[in-house]
Amino acid sequence: VRSFNALEAARIPFVTLERVYDKQALSQIGAPQQVYKYWLGEMYHDNTKAGRLLAEALNNAAIKAFTNKPTLRAIGIGGDFYSESLERLDGLKQVINATSKTVLNQVVAANWSRKEATAKIIKLQQRYGNSEIIWSASDTMALGVLDAAKKLHLMPGRDFVIGGFDWLPEALRAIEYGRMTASIGGHFLQGAWALIKINDHNKGYKAFLKGDTSAHVELKVVDQSNIDKYKILMKNINYDSAVDFAEFSLQHLEQTKQPLQYRMTADAFIEKLSK
């Protein structure tokens, strides 16, 4: 709120990325261009929906992998106690509550740390026995679980399934080799999309709508079914030269006589990156 007040007082237009503030702040700042007229808009994704996507992918994989087990046990590894992590965990809990086959043993916070995730999952597996599903709010912590698996002499895919968020190259490689089941990602495009919209706004296009609180960025699951398409993200890419971001702008769409509708999706970005 202090940041919003300072920007508003200085009459500096601004765009926010993600919703990392708490719910109390959300009630004070309202919607873009309402309480704060210089707040043009926000770029964020639905973390609860994304949490469900990961939980569904892991639960379905576990049901296929552990057909002889009447009950599946799950562990949730959150990042911290702020909205991003908590909303992702809400998605996990919604999926668990909707199935009678899976129980949630415990949820812990590992502070987005690989090392802390390793230490905590070792204790949790010892406390509950080996849980078949390990849901992680980030790939970094999921990779910490894989580190722990070596110490526990457990094999990912055979003894448990694991997934996270962020599409880290190491995580995508782990999916390719069957060590991780899934990773949720696409939110790295939020910054690019915000800049594209700012550029359109400065050129007179209606890029930001007053009161718009919708989640514009759709996150996607990468798993064995589509890893080949997303493997390109493992490479060291100079995105400035690899992709012409102007092609996603309303200005470009108008110049090329296309409908004025943003198409900045992960699939569209990967297609341009692969050309």
Side-chain angles (χ1 to χ4, degrees):
V1 173
R2 288 197 302 271
S3 298
F4 277 42
N5 287 339
L7 289 163
E8 188 77 7
R11 298 182 179 181
I12 298 173
F14 63 98
V15 176
T16 55
L17 302 182
E18 305 210 20
R19 283 185 158 182
V20 294
Y21 33 77
D22 58 30
K23 286 183 171 61
Q24 184 179 359
L26 189 61
S27 66
Q28 294 180 60
I29 63 179
Q33 301 178 47
Q34 292 184 337
V35 178
Y36 296 92
K37 70 176 183 179
Y38 286 95
W39 181 21
L40 298 180
E42 57 182 346
M43 301 302 301
Y44 78 100
H45 54 276
D46 186 334
N47 270 308
T48 303
K49 181 179 178 180
R52 287 199 303 269
L53 284 175
L54 180 59
E56 288 165 355
L58 295 177
N59 195 56
N60 290 339
I63 289 172
K64 291 179 181 178
F66 308 109
T67 55
N68 60 326
K69 295 190 176 183
T71 302
L72 298 173
R73 299 160 296 175
I75 293 289
I77 303 178
D80 50 33
F81 299 100
Y82 290 95
S83 60
E84 183 174 37
S85 180
L86 294 177
E87 287 171 3
R88 290 177 183 180
L89 283 165
D90 283 343
L92 165 66
K93 293 171 185 176
Q94 288 174 12
V95 171
I96 298 297
N97 291 336
T99 177
S100 58
K101 188 176 177 66
T102 307
V103 296
L104 184 60
N105 280 335
Q106 191 171 343
V107 170
V108 297
N111 296 301
W112 309 105
S113 163
R114 182 168 181 164
K115 186 176 181 180
E116 192 168 334
T118 299
K120 289 193 171 180
I121 200 64
I122 288 173
K123 290 182 179 179
L124 289 168
Q125 293 289 58
Q126 291 169 344
R127 177 179 299 167
Y128 295 106
N130 294 326
S131 297
E132 292 82 16
I133 299 171
I134 303 176
W135 179 105
S136 171
S138 77
D139 283 344
T140 297
M141 296 187 295
L143 292 167
V145 172
L146 295 184
D147 296 338
K150 295 177 184 177
K151 298 179 181 181
L152 294 169
H153 305 292
L154 298 174
M155 184 179 293
R158 184 195 68 187
D159 298 312
F160 67 93
V161 296
I162 171 73
F165 286 72
D166 296 336
W167 291 353
L168 293 186
E170 188 178 354
L172 295 178
R173 196 167 292 110
I175 292 173
E176 182 182 18
Y177 293 118
R179 300 179 66 241
M180 267 180 67
T181 296
S183 177
I184 307 294
H187 40 318
F188 71 96
L189 292 173
Q190 288 172 145
W193 197 354
L195 289 169
I196 290 166
K197 294 186 78 168
I198 289 169
N199 185 61
D200 279 334
H201 171 81
N202 288 341
K203 291 181 178 177
Y205 292 90
K206 202 167 184 62
F208 299 103
L209 302 177
K210 183 177 180 179
D212 183 12
T213 59
S214 56
H216 294 284
V217 181
E218 285 286 335
L219 302 195
K220 287 184 64 70
V221 180
V222 169
D223 56 20
Q224 282 285 323
S225 70
N226 61 358
I227 184 62
D228 286 344
K229 179 177 181 179
Y230 286 86
K231 275 166 48 173
I232 192 168
L233 295 175
M234 299 181 202
K235 299 179 180 178
N236 186 16
I237 300 168
N238 182 342
Y239 290 101
D240 287 344
S241 59
V243 177
D244 183 358
F245 287 92
E247 292 183 4
F248 291 106
S249 69
L250 295 181
Q251 182 183 37
H252 174 79
L253 294 174
E254 184 177 54
Q255 290 172 346
T256 54
K257 296 182 170 34
Q258 299 180 60
L260 295 186
Q261 182 176 355
Y262 284 114
R263 299 181 185 85
M264 177 57 103
T265 64
D267 282 342
F269 178 77
I270 293 297
E271 286 172 12
K272 290 191 179 296
L273 196 60
S274 302
K275 288 182 179 179

